[in-house]
Amino acid sequence: MKAISAVLLHEQGSPVMARRALKLASLAAAASGIYLYGNKFMDPNDFGVVRVGRAIATTAVITYDYLTSLRNVPYGSEEYDFLKSQVHLRSAERLRELCCANRGTFIKVGQHLGALDYLLPEEYTRTLKVLHSQAPQSTRQEIEQVIREDLGKEVPRIYWELSTRRVLLMEFMEGGQVNDKAYMEKNGIDVNEISRNLGKLYSEMIFVNGFVHCDPHPGNVLVKKCPDSGKAYIILLDHGLYQVLSESFRMDYCRLWQALIKADMKRVQKYSRRLGAGDLYPLFACMLTARSWESVNRGIDQSPVSASEDVEIRSNAAAYLPQITQLLNSVPRQMLLLLKTNDLLRGIESALHTRASASSFLNMSRCCIRAVSTYQRSKSHSIFRRIHISLTEALSLWQINLYELFLWLKGSGLGNWVIAFLSRMHHST
């Protein structure tokens, strides 16, 4: 729907606009299909005639609303902006109702969309966020039916040994959602520390272990401050969707991120192609980093996302929907889940206003270096070669630590004083 609204901004009232809007709606449906396939949430009920009918009807109503509501309103006027916001809101509410009615996979898609603060209009994300914590609940009878089928009991006690492939019994945990900045400030939790530790957590899972929790929407990631130690904890919920990365995929992905962080465009192209992106590797790099192609070429650790870059990203997301759909259809299933995970993590960073900080990329670099070095040592039969790999690893990690210290000094009062002192010394000689 974001794509449809973007077309309407420039071509309101024209037949071309109508054709393009309907085409983009179809492409959005195709992208959703790829998304659902990649996540393997394939409940047979999701393909029921009623569910499909609801989805088609909702898409048609939303498309018609966009095509007609802004047709005769001057573009750029206050009335236009107001009506556009109202169309966004109505469309988002219809999508939420569709997700609640169809449940299952549609809830997962709605939760994903609700976390994309940095990409979708605020009316959509605000409306769909309720699916993170207030998704429709299964009835007691439905829960007991699954439990009876898998455990042979009516209402079992909560033990891990009673869990099956379909029933995951977990301890109830208190905490606030990871994107709830107000909750963290109220409870004295450092949002920068949470963002940094969340990045470390997922970097370890993806690059080092290759075993990844792939559903980190805000309803599945809580934060809690221990009253005794004062330490803040990150709590992962809903362990029903994990991805095991193959070794070859994990190494290519590590090397791609190393190339992105170093702005090594030749290696970015090489490893993007190896991961299935083909000629769309520039778009692939932008999707992974949530940065513009200019920022990717300059180095994604050089500066945070600016307001102008954020506008550019939002605009291009609609303009490149056909290419995005083609790309999603080309990359392996493992990448589909990681792209979804990246989107959700970037959305959390955006909500906490910690997006694309240098520290997140430095922590990612550490994990990539460790992962590649461990892999190289495992493939080497020479003790001297293994020693060389270990020394190179230690040197690379030391360089990152030194650069991190430099950034800290640069941003601190002490660092500014040192720079000013050295400058005075230079001019006095």
Side-chain angles (χ1 to χ4, degrees), residues 190-324:
D190 186 346
V191 294
N192 291 300
E193 180 185 359
I194 291 297
S195 182
R196 185 166 56 248
N197 289 339
L198 187 65
K200 287 182 181 178
L201 177 65
Y202 272 87
S203 291
E204 287 279 343
M205 282 193 284
I206 293 171
F207 300 112
V208 179
N209 299 311
F211 186 65
V212 190
H213 177 283
C214 285
D215 201 13
H217 68 74
N220 280 347
V221 186
L222 305 182
V223 292
K224 177 183 179 182
K225 189 171 185 177
C226 178
D228 297 327
S229 65
K231 184 177 180 180
Y233 292 93
I234 295 174
I235 303 165
L236 293 182
L237 304 179
D238 192 356
H239 300 278
L241 181 62
Y242 271 79
Q243 176 66 56
V244 180
L245 306 180
S246 68
E247 188 174 65
S248 60
F249 176 92
R250 184 166 58 91
M251 287 300 103
D252 285 342
Y253 194 58
C254 280
R255 292 184 170 109
L256 172 58
W257 269 106
Q258 287 181 309
L260 286 168
I261 292 169
K262 294 177 181 178
D264 185 342
M265 292 300 107
K266 288 185 178 180
R267 288 170 64 85
V268 167
Q269 180 178 354
K270 173 183 176 181
Y271 289 107
S272 294
R273 289 182 180 277
R274 288 181 63 163
L275 290 167
D279 292 335
L280 294 174
Y281 70 89
L283 176 62
F284 185 51
C286 294
M287 289 173 64
L288 281 176
T289 60
R291 302 297 300 267
S292 68
W293 181 237
E294 180 183 351
S295 293
V296 172
N297 277 272
R298 186 172 61 243
I300 54 177
D301 64 334
Q302 297 301 308
S303 61
V305 180
S306 64
S308 59
E309 183 180 0
D310 188 58
V311 171
E312 179 185 350
I313 291 170
R314 290 172 182 267
S315 301
N316 287 343
Y320 286 96
L321 183 59
Q323 290 87 346
I324 291 172

Side-chain angles (χ1 to χ4, degrees), residues 70-141:
L70 304 174
R71 179 177 295 165
N72 299 316
V73 183
Y75 171 69
S77 64
E78 290 186 5
E79 182 184 5
Y80 183 92
D81 291 338
F82 173 77
L83 290 176
K84 181 181 69 173
S85 178
Q86 293 301 303
V87 176
H88 283 339
L89 183 60
R90 288 196 298 270
S91 301
E93 289 172 346
R94 289 172 180 135
L95 285 177
R96 183 188 62 198
E97 292 170 2
L98 171 66
C99 292
C100 291
N102 281 3
R103 303 172 68 173
T105 302
F106 287 82
I107 293 291
K108 293 293 183 183
V109 174
Q111 289 171 338
H112 185 192
L113 296 176
L116 301 183
D117 301 85
Y118 68 95
L119 184 62
L120 296 179
E122 189 266 345
E123 293 87 351
Y124 278 88
T125 55
R126 185 182 69 238
T127 302
L128 295 172
K129 277 182 190 297
V130 298
L131 297 176
H132 293 156
S133 56
Q134 300 176 31
Q137 299 179 357
S138 299
T139 65
R140 180 184 179 89
Q141 290 74 19

Side-chain angles (χ1 to χ4, degrees), residues 4 46 69 127 147 158 212 322:
I4 296 172
D46 288 339
S69 297
T127 302
I147 292 174
I158 303 177
V212 190

Side-chain angles (χ1 to χ4, degrees), residues 5 23 25 145 150 174 192 215 234 301 313 322-323 422 425:
S5 63
K23 180 180 178 182
Q145 179 181 351
D150 281 57
E174 296 279 359
N192 291 300
D215 201 13
I234 295 174
D301 64 334
I313 291 170
Q323 290 87 346
L422 293 176
M425 291 292 291

